[in-house]
Amino acid sequence: AQSVAQPEDQVNVAEGNPLTVKCTYSVSGNPYLFWYVQYPNRGLQFLLKYITGDNLVKGSYGFEAEFNKSQTSFHLKKPSALVSDSALYFCAALDTGRRALTFGSGTRLQVQP
Amino acid sequence: SAVISQKPSRDICQRGTSLTIQCQVDSQVTMMFWYRQQPGQSLTLIATANQGSEATYESGFVIDKFPISRPNLTFSTLTVSNMSPEDSSIYLCSVSNNEQFFGPGTRLTVL
């Protein structure tokens, strides 16, 4: 069975500083990886995905993620954090057979002004 | 992209009652899913809603508790039956074409 791990419950960063939210995965076959963001009382919003190709994936709102096959990681990054980036972030892997997602436990990002 | 709506957006229910959540998609999709997000937790897949046949449930979820209908390629319902406070969660509908899209969720509180 596949799994996704987000080792940090919370990440704190000062506005303007770079941020990283960590994700590691365990899948059989080729990984299909996603990042989603959830704001309070709002639905899940898609940020970016890795299917194949370049290891650096660019997504919405200035976020990017780096796929590292040898470390089985897919860390989310942003060069300069905004207070409005404060939210709950989920990493997920697609089960290609069922076409459903397996989610990590989530990481709360807090950006301080 | 797919636009997904859910009804109701939230509800407060009494223990022992049942609630049916509706999910409507603005286009035909092959795969529809129901997820649960318990308070402070991640999302867990409940089942895959199959059009014209019985839903496929994940381990720990059963049809008697979470009956699902999928009468066509744009609509599905999830019923939470004989509710208890432990069923208080956000229930999300999701569809998969080439992307994975999520509905806004239904926030359920069981007293």
Side-chain angles (χ1 to χ4, degrees):
Chain A
Q2 63 183 38
S3 63
V4 177
Q6 294 180 243
E8 303 155 316
D9 290 337
Q10 180 156 326
V11 170
N12 298 307
V13 64
E15 187 174 29
N17 283 359
L19 70 88
T20 299
V21 182
K22 295 180 180 177
C23 172
T24 59
Y25 65 90
S26 174
V27 303
S28 57
N30 295 322
Y32 295 79
L33 303 168
F34 299 77
W35 275 101
Y36 288 86
V37 60
Q38 187 176 43
Y39 295 98
N41 299 313
R42 292 171 64 179
L44 215 56
Q45 297 179 34
F46 169 80
L47 280 179
L48 50 81
K49 68 178 179 181
Y50 172 82
I51 302 297
T52 187
D54 290 341
N55 289 342
L56 187 64
V57 180
K58 294 190 182 297
S60 307
Y61 313 119
F63 284 93
E64 58 190 25
E66 186 170 11
F67 172 71
N68 187 316
K69 187 174 183 179
S70 63
Q71 296 185 5
T72 61
S73 67
F74 189 55
H75 300 332
L76 181 71
K77 300 183 179 185
K78 188 173 183 181
S80 177
L82 300 173
V83 173
S84 58
D85 293 330
S86 298
L88 188 57
Y89 290 80
F90 290 100
C91 182
L94 180 69
D95 181 323
T96 54
R98 297 180 304 172
R99 303 293 298 175
L101 291 170
T102 301
F103 283 87
S105 55
T107 299
R108 186 164 299 281
L109 174 65
Q110 191 68 42
V111 181
Q112 285 113 9
Chain B
S1 66
V3 177
I4 305 170
S5 60
Q6 286 185 232
K7 292 182 181 179
S9 59
R10 60 177 61 226
D11 208 343
I12 300 173
C13 300
Q14 295 297 320
R15 179 196 300 261
T17 62
S18 298
L19 176 72
T20 295
I21 303 168
Q22 298 180 4
C23 175
Q24 179 74 55
V25 190
D26 68 342
S27 59
Q28 293 186 340
V29 293
T30 304
M31 309 295 292
M32 290 182 76
F33 308 93
W34 287 98
Y35 290 82
R36 180 176 73 181
Q37 186 179 19
Q38 294 177 299
Q41 303 294 316
S42 185
L43 284 81
T44 301
L45 180 66
I46 296 171
T48 303
N50 301 310
Q51 194 266 329
S53 65
E54 196 170 279
T56 305
Y57 290 85
E58 298 300 304
S59 176
F61 297 95
V62 295
I63 188 171
D64 289 346
K65 176 67 176 177
F66 297 103
I68 289 171
S69 78
R70 176 95 191 267
N72 56 52
L73 293 176
T74 64
F75 186 79
S76 178
T77 67
L78 168 74
T79 299
V80 186
S81 303
N82 187 25
M83 289 184 285
S84 67
E86 292 71 35
D87 294 320
S88 298
S89 297
I90 299 173
Y91 292 86
L92 296 106
C93 173
S94 172
V95 303
S96 173
N97 283 336
N98 292 322
E99 305 286 345
Q100 305 278 332
F101 299 98
F102 285 83
T106 296
R107 184 179 294 271
L108 171 62
T109 302
V110 184
L111 302 178

